[in-house]
Amino acid sequence: MTSETLPSAVPHIGPVDAHDKSSSTMGNDASPRPHHWEKRSGGARQSLGSVSMDEKGERNVQETTIATPRPFHRRTHDFRILPIPRKQQYDPSGVFNFTLRLNVVFGISSTAITANLYYCQPLLVNLANSFNTTDSTVSTIPTVTQAGYALGILLISPLGDLIRRRPLILLMLSLSLLLTIGIALAPSIPAFKALSFLTGVCTVTPQILIPYAVDLAPPHRRASVMSIVLSGLLLGVIVARAIGGVVADISGSWRNVYWMGCGLQGLSLLSLWWVVPDRPSKTEWEMEPALEGRDSQAASTATVGNIGPVQMSRLTYLGILKTMFKFAATEPILIQGYTIGFLTQIIFASFWVTLTFLLTNAPYHFSTLDIGLFGLIGIVGVTTAPFVGHLVDKLVLWVGMLLAISIIVVSVIILTIGAAINIAAVIIVCIGLDLGVQLGHVSTTSKIYEIDPAYRSRLNAVYVVASFLGQLIGSAVGSKIFLSYGWRASAGASIGFGGLMLVVMLARGPHCKRYTWFGWEGGARFVKDRQAVASDEEKGASTDVAARVDEEKIEALDS
């Protein structure tokens, strides 16, 4: 009997000939779990088979098909018409270096974009006078804007796991810019509210930039990179609240504040177009890590290098929304993280909302201008971003989270004891809370991102939505307690929330396995293993998820 290998132009999935089990990843009786590649974004299929002659002299053909990597074509335009700078075009043979310049542009752009959500807060009186309406009517504008932002985080930011991030970033920023122009020209208060809501929906670019920066950064710098982008986001909140009223008073019109915002967003759009690298989406190969057997959808599986079992199911928009809710209920690391983020924001929002009441009454009697300038103290917390990121990169992330909670709890204890004694106590609390919240956010988000790189946008969306709900509840509960029982009761409630955070944190140790809900596993090492960090550095300068997936699949096919 003779045998020869024949290529076939007709795609076909069939059993592998028993004489050549190594020619494909799909086996017959030799493999208890047959599997094959399913490449969903197009590309060539390679059909391998064998032809043999049986005892009667008839040809016996058995063949199998595997998907081969799609030939690389350099993408040169976004939206088919907008050219991509050649330096930012994706080249799988190149080595990407996440520079400080790119990191700073991400951070500054986050400042300019986030400010959109908060320009209205110091302008409410100006808006009421301009549109000849009541204070109660304009008081709902911040709520409407934040509601749009929450909806955008829930429905738009997860798209980072489905489509290419560069065009998504440019599209959302362009829409935000156009809507801000509409706000500056708004003829009535209903139009202003409607445009503010839509602007909130589209102002999610920073929540796309943060997980993208983590994907691009080398493992040993991820927390540092994230902290700079996050500090830009926080600075946007402070800057908008501080300068919005000043610009309106000096220029004579609240509309000029939004024209200024248009200019800042336009510069950010140009800068991001120039420096943001283009990378394949996470579905270019459309590899979805298997959900530990918990996904009911039937799908073929294959083992790829060190990635492990992967599920070859088609990823859709409804699919990513479904997995968000699934993760929110089944991932212990995520549940611990967003619970702590939720409680942290309750404390943070409660403090800043009630701070106005505290400073306007005895013994301080501060003016509105004094209180507004007091908010600039938050800039001190923003300047700690490089220190916070460097610290988190060195620590076991659980330790960073615990340290952040401890700083927050100590800060609210100082508030309870000394807020009415000396203004220095209030200043210390401002700085302490800013530092603790920033350290906690970077540590918690970094921990959550470790669950699976392919799901970072969705995991980030779940965490941010929970934090946003914490802000809403903190503002309402803090104000209610303060007005009913005074500032000590409000601060005491924050101590209680801090204690609850410690319970949630200590219920699950620093080295527990992914699906361990409670307990303490893996010892008590609090500093990252230097050898592990060095190993991460040696794996490559870029951690682009799509590029790593491409390499793993090519290696698996070659083997």
Side-chain angles (χ1 to χ4, degrees):
M1 181 172 65
T2 61
S3 175
E4 61 178 308
T5 301
L6 296 178
S8 172
V10 181
H12 172 72
I13 299 295
V16 179
D17 183 71
H19 294 88
D20 188 12
K21 298 185 181 73
S22 63
S23 64
S24 171
T25 58
M26 188 172 186
N28 50 8
D29 295 340
S31 175
R33 293 182 61 192
H35 53 265
H36 63 274
W37 290 113
E38 182 84 11
K39 186 170 183 296
R40 290 171 281 170
S41 59
R45 284 184 177 273
Q46 179 182 358
S47 181
L48 302 177
S50 62
V51 180
S52 60
M53 305 295 293
D54 60 17
E55 295 178 354
K56 296 181 180 180
E58 297 179 354
R59 293 166 62 89
N60 182 17
V61 180
Q62 290 182 309
E63 61 177 298
T64 185
T65 300
I66 60 174
T68 58
R70 179 175 54 183
F72 168 68
H73 298 288
R74 183 185 293 273
R75 191 185 297 270
T76 59
H77 289 75
D78 287 319
F79 315 112
R80 298 185 182 274
I81 57 173
L82 183 65
I84 302 174
R86 186 164 183 83
K87 283 185 177 180
Q88 310 310 334
Q89 295 173 14
Y90 176 60
D91 182 358
S93 63
V95 177
F96 176 75
N97 181 27
F98 191 91
T99 63
L100 179 61
R101 182 190 70 165
L102 180 59
N103 202 174
V104 171
V105 171
F106 274 30
I108 294 176
S109 299
S110 296
T111 299
I113 299 166
T114 304
N116 263 354
L117 300 170
Y118 300 95
Y119 285 136
C120 63
Q121 294 188 5
L123 301 176
L124 295 180
V125 175
N126 304 66
L127 293 170
N129 294 333
S130 176
F131 291 116
N132 193 27
T133 187
T134 63
D135 290 346
S136 61
T137 301
V138 298
S139 65
T140 59
I141 292 175
T143 304
V144 169
T145 305
Q146 293 295 324
Y149 181 56
L151 186 64
I153 291 173
L154 182 64
L155 300 181
I156 295 178
S157 63
L159 286 172
D161 286 341
L162 185 64
I163 62 179
R164 291 166 53 234
R165 263 78 63 89
R166 176 185 165 90
L168 179 61
I169 290 167
L170 298 180
L171 175 62
M172 298 315 301
L173 182 49
S174 298
L175 292 175
S176 175
L177 171 58
L178 293 174
L179 288 167
T180 306
I181 294 174
I183 292 177
L185 298 173
S188 64
I189 200 67
F192 189 99
K193 287 185 177 182
L195 289 167
S196 294
F197 175 80
L198 294 175
T199 300
V201 173
C202 295
T203 309
V204 295
T205 305
Q207 299 301 338
I208 302 170
L209 287 173
I210 291 175
Y212 194 29
V214 173
D215 282 348
L216 294 172
H220 65 288
R221 288 184 51 214
R222 284 175 181 162
S224 299
V225 165
M226 189 197 311
S227 66
I228 291 176
V229 183
L230 175 63
S231 66
L233 188 152
L234 298 176
L235 186 61
V237 179
I238 298 170
V239 167
R241 288 171 173 170
I243 71 173
V246 174
V247 171
D249 290 340
I250 294 176
S251 66
S253 173
W254 60 267
R255 297 181 188 272
N256 293 327
V257 177
Y258 287 96
W259 287 122
M260 176 191 69
C262 292
L264 293 175
Q265 289 178 86
L267 290 174
S268 297
L269 180 60
L270 181 61
S271 299
L272 291 173
W273 169 81
W274 183 252
V275 304
V276 172
D278 184 40
R279 289 295 179 272
S281 70
K282 295 179 181 180
T283 57
E284 290 291 337
W285 282 101
E286 299 208 338
M287 292 179 62
E288 275 287 275
L291 299 179
E292 299 294 331
R294 293 174 293 154
D295 196 339
S296 60
Q297 181 177 0
S300 301
T301 61
T303 300
V304 185
N306 59 13
I307 293 180
V310 294
Q311 178 182 308
M312 303 304 186
S313 59
R314 181 170 297 279
L315 184 63
T316 63
Y317 179 64
L318 292 178
I320 62 175
L321 296 181
K322 176 183 175 182
T323 54
M324 283 174 58
F325 289 103
K326 179 178 290 186
F327 291 151
T330 60
E331 290 287 347
I333 296 173
L334 178 61
I335 294 171
Q336 183 185 44
Y338 72 62
T339 301
I340 291 172
F342 172 78
L343 295 171
T344 297
Q345 290 303 319
I346 288 179
I347 296 173
F348 191 69
S350 175
F351 169 75
W352 283 103
V353 168
T354 59
L355 180 64
T356 301
F357 303 131
L358 176 65
L359 296 181
T360 53
N361 296 318
Y364 303 116
H365 301 291
F366 281 7
S367 66
T368 303
L369 178 61
D370 293 334
I371 296 173
L373 295 175
F374 205 87
L376 294 178
I377 295 174
I379 294 178
V380 176
V382 173
T383 60
T384 64
F387 164 76
V388 168
H390 183 73
L391 178 64
V392 174
D393 278 328
K394 299 299 181 183
L395 292 175
V396 171
L397 296 175
W398 184 92
V399 178
M401 296 165 67
L402 183 62
L403 179 60
I405 294 171
S406 301
I407 293 173
I408 292 172
V409 171
V410 170
S411 297
V412 293
I413 290 174
I414 293 174
L415 178 68
T416 305
I417 297 173
I421 299 175
N422 195 294
I423 193 62
V426 182
I427 294 174
I428 292 172
V429 173
C430 288
I431 297 173
L433 283 178
D434 283 343
L435 177 61
V437 169
Q438 186 164 210
L439 175 59
H441 184 86
V442 173
S443 301
T444 305
T445 308
S446 298
K447 183 71 173 176
I448 289 171
Y449 285 170
E450 286 186 344
I451 294 175
D452 198 310
Y455 298 135
R456 280 178 178 152
S457 293
R458 281 167 279 182
L459 296 171
N460 181 75
V462 173
Y463 174 77
V464 174
V465 167
S467 298
F468 180 80
L469 292 175
Q471 290 181 17
L472 295 180
I473 294 175
S475 298
V477 172
S479 299
K480 180 67 175 179
I481 295 176
F482 186 99
L483 295 175
S484 300
Y485 304 103
W487 64 268
R488 286 189 185 276
S490 178
S494 293
I495 294 176
F497 288 123
L500 183 56
M501 281 198 293
L502 286 173
V503 172
V504 173
M505 195 72 244
L506 295 174
R508 193 174 186 279
H511 304 291
C512 288
K513 296 178 182 178
R514 178 173 174 177
Y515 293 108
T516 298
W517 287 89
F518 303 101
W520 193 281
E521 299 175 348
R525 188 180 71 256
F526 290 164
V527 179
K528 288 181 180 177
D529 187 350
R530 293 183 180 180
Q531 293 181 353
V533 174
S535 175
D536 284 339
E537 294 179 18
E538 293 172 359
K539 288 179 181 177
S542 172
T543 57
D544 188 330
V545 174
R548 292 202 310 274
V549 168
D550 287 355
E551 293 170 1
E552 291 285 354
K553 294 191 84 170
I554 292 171
E555 290 175 4
L557 289 172
D558 289 342
S559 64

